[in-house]
Amino acid sequence: MADVATLREQVRGMVITSDDAGYEDARRVYNAMHDRRPEVIVQAVDEADVIAAVRFARDNDLELAVRGGAHGVPGYGTWDGGLVIDLGRIRYALVDPDGRTVRMGGGAVLGDMDHATYVYGLATPAGFNSTTGIGGLTLGGGVGAYLSRKHGLTCDNLISADVVTADGERVTANAEQHDDLFWALRGGGGNFGIVTSFQYQLHELNDFYGGPIFFELDAAPDVMRTFSEYTTEAPRELGGFVGFHIAPPLPFIPEDRHGDTLFALVASWSGPGERAEEVLKPLREAGPIVAEHVGPVPYPGLQSAFDALLPPGLQHYWKSDFVAELTDEAVGVHMEHGPKVPSLHTAVHLYLVDGAVHDLGADETAFPVRDARFLLNIAGIWPDPADNDANIGWVREYYEAVHPHSGYEGGYTNFMAEDDQDRTQASYGPNYDRLQEIKARWDPDNVFHLNQNIPPD
Ligand SMILES: Cc1cc2nc3c(=O)[nH]c(=O)nc-3n(C[C@H](O)[C@H](O)[C@H](O)COP(=O)(O)OP(=O)(O)OC[C@H]3O[C@@H](n4cnc5c(N)ncnc54)[C@H](O)[C@@H]3O)c2cc1C
């Protein structure tokens, strides 16, 4: 057992071991499947704590796990043995409204950013669940269902990052300083260092309109085709996603349809409010509607609309693919597996990753896929561990059947489970060699290996 008394002297946040009262809570992450027992958990409150913890882990040969918002599906934010650096108390959001930037603490969540920026009529693309961490999301790429077609990925909007490196030093990475590291941080995941502060570009966002439409299940092929065809030409302000869902018990869905499997389209429009109805009309007409809740909405409202359906403590097993084109064959496979969605929380989503995401070349950031139309996520989510085999089996079978129709070997590392480690190289495709070289420069001993790992060259 390492001598944590020394570490406690160096750290202002909490240092927690299994002898401490808060240990049971402190070791937990969002995906309850990962019931792990770290040796030491450091709840850092500032950069100095992070530096002390990295040096302590190295000096004591402890495996190092890093946690931002704790949403990572493979649960690398907790580990058996080893030292966990939990950044969840470094949660500030400092907006510069004139310069249109925001600086976020490395452990902040998406809701912190949306709340702080929206008051100035500003936003940047990020995921649609407000409790997800900006850390893991940005470093893996960051697909914003509602704003990425207009403004790119979250990592495309990253201007600068303060990083604690594997040897416990602090550097700033941006276009002017350490540009190799800056390139790698934009998609390469947690492989290169611990980011204590992220600075993002913001964009004007005044009107916002959107919400979910639930169609009859039989209409799924028509809705998928309409969504795919319409969005090839539609303005970039149109966002959203489609997918299979069991209808949750929400007030706008007729009670007798709660629990039915339906096909959902969550649509959004960030252009001028007076055009919203006209732009969304063809999507609304794609099939018979069971229920809908679409209208003007504050952006942070839609960003957190599904939080209640996704509380911490559920079991998660996900698989993902980028999709070049939604072919008729692929739609056929979706119709075979999607309607069997096994749990209320489970989601099968197709997100749009075109528009501004395509404005950068594959080699401009570590995130390499700049020509896909969609990102598919088969997100198995259920409450009872007794149902693990059935749910994991359904995700795997679905993925095996649909993957050959994707057009890409790799997937989105942020939507991958632990058993997808062997897809890491394929997921980084042409950028993998350069990532390995940069890894060798910044983390030659692979200190940061509890992630979708890129070992040093
Ligand atoms: C409910 C839900 C909704 C989601 N929606 C979206 C979405 O709309 N779009 C999207 O792109 N993704 C989405 N994701 C996926 C999400 O991007 C990943 O799960 C991401 O890893 C979460 O980051 P985190 O900081 O919350 O997780 P953590 O588990 O804390 O972190 C994941 C990994 O990232 C690294 N990491 C985290 N923070 C830092 C940091 N500051 N410095 C260095 N390394 C760090 C570590 O390696 C860590 O193991 C969603 C996930 C969930 C569970």
Side-chain angles (χ1 to χ4, degrees):
M1 177 92 180
D3 175 17
V4 291
T6 334
L7 184 61
R8 285 197 167 110
E9 281 165 19
Q10 295 166 353
V11 164
R12 296 189 82 189
M14 298 290 285
V15 175
I16 300 171
T17 70
S18 57
D19 297 332
D20 296 308
Y23 181 74
E24 288 304 316
D25 272 349
R27 72 187 180 85
R28 275 196 204 105
V29 288
Y30 178 82
N31 181 358
M33 205 179 271
H34 305 295
D35 182 20
R36 297 179 181 140
R37 303 188 66 80
E39 188 169 326
V40 192
I41 300 158
V42 178
Q43 294 177 336
V45 297
D46 60 17
E47 196 168 69
D49 283 0
V50 176
I51 290 172
V54 169
R55 291 180 180 170
F56 183 84
R58 294 212 63 168
D59 291 347
N60 289 278
D61 279 331
L62 291 170
E63 267 190 298
L64 191 56
V66 179
R67 186 190 307 169
H71 270 215
V73 171
Y76 291 124
T78 189
W79 203 243
D80 282 325
L83 183 146
V84 172
I85 300 182
D86 179 354
L87 303 166
R89 278 157 184 73
I90 309 181
R91 252 182 92 164
Y92 57 83
L94 306 171
V95 185
D96 171 1
D98 298 327
R100 293 195 176 176
T101 63
V102 63
R103 187 169 274 286
M104 303 293 306
V109 298
L110 305 187
D112 299 334
M113 183 157 75
D114 292 335
H115 175 75
T117 59
Y118 190 70
V119 72
Y120 300 106
L122 298 169
T124 212
F128 72 90
N129 183 265
S130 79
T131 58
T132 305
I134 59 152
L137 179 123
T138 305
L139 296 170
V143 174
Y146 310 129
L147 298 183
S148 277
R149 285 190 85 224
K150 177 74 178 160
H151 299 299
L153 301 172
T154 313
C155 73
D156 300 344
N157 290 281
L158 184 68
I159 300 171
S160 187
D162 292 339
V163 186
V164 175
T165 62
D167 50 9
E169 300 297 326
R170 186 264 205 181
V171 297
T172 295
N174 53 39
E176 281 82 42
Q177 307 169 70
H178 306 302
D179 61 338
D180 60 336
L181 180 59
F182 185 52
W183 180 87
L185 292 176
R186 286 173 291 159
N191 278 284
F192 301 92
I194 302 179
V195 181
T196 54
S197 171
F198 293 89
Q199 189 187 20
Y200 300 93
Q201 184 67 60
L202 297 172
H203 307 273
E204 201 176 317
L205 179 68
N206 294 310
D207 300 344
F208 192 70
Y209 191 98
I213 305 170
F214 285 95
F215 292 92
E216 294 289 359
L217 186 58
D218 293 352
D222 287 338
V223 179
M224 275 187 260
R225 278 187 208 107
T226 305
F227 188 63
S228 177
E229 281 162 23
Y230 186 57
T231 52
T232 51
E233 298 292 334
R236 289 180 172 194
E237 288 84 356
L238 179 72
F241 55 93
V242 291
F244 294 94
H245 271 277
I246 294 177
L250 294 173
F252 72 93
I253 301 176
E255 230 176 286
D256 63 338
R257 302 306 302 269
H258 294 175
D260 285 359
T261 301
L262 301 174
F263 197 70
L265 189 166
V266 178
S268 70
W269 172 249
S270 58
E274 64 275 11
R275 286 197 59 202
E277 287 291 332
E278 157 217 330
V279 173
L280 296 192
K281 193 164 177 270
L283 296 175
R284 276 208 175 97
E285 288 171 349
I289 292 175
V290 176
E292 69 153 83
H293 193 63
V294 183
V297 58
Y299 177 68
L302 194 55
Q303 283 286 84
S304 53
F306 306 110
D307 289 2
L309 294 171
L310 295 166
L314 301 172
Q315 311 284 310
H316 290 251
Y317 182 81
W318 299 14
K319 288 221 174 272
S320 103
D321 257 332
F322 288 101
V323 180
E325 280 301 331
L326 193 55
T327 61
D328 285 345
E329 292 76 24
V331 170
V333 176
H334 284 299
M335 287 312 291
E336 203 182 311
H337 295 266
K340 297 180 201 154
V341 58
S343 147
L344 178 74
H345 305 277
T346 289
V348 181
H349 286 167
L350 278 160
Y351 302 98
L352 293 162
V353 281
D354 55 359
V357 178
H358 292 196
D359 289 349
L360 294 188
D363 61 354
E364 287 187 67
T365 65
F367 185 96
V369 181
R370 298 291 183 170
D371 53 4
R373 291 272 343 270
F374 298 101
L375 168 60
L376 169 68
N377 190 11
I378 308 171
I381 308 172
W382 62 99
D384 189 348
D387 298 330
N388 285 9
D389 286 349
N391 283 271
I392 292 172
W394 172 80
V395 174
R396 285 189 178 144
E397 242 176 72
Y398 195 154
Y399 168 75
E400 293 300 330
V402 80
H403 175 66
H405 302 279
S406 71
Y408 296 88
E409 214 185 310
Y412 179 36
T413 52
N414 268 351
F415 286 166
M416 287 184 170
E418 242 177 324
D419 60 4
D420 276 322
Q421 277 290 352
D422 60 357
R423 290 184 80 202
T424 307
Q425 181 163 0
S427 298
Y428 287 112
N431 289 342
Y432 189 73
D433 290 351
R434 186 168 166 198
L435 282 164
Q436 279 200 303
E437 279 166 36
I438 297 171
K439 177 78 172 177
R441 219 170 294 147
W442 289 94
D443 184 15
D445 300 325
N446 208 1
V447 170
F448 302 116
H449 65 273
L450 297 176
N451 41 47
Q452 300 296 342
N453 194 230
I454 300 166
D457 189 8

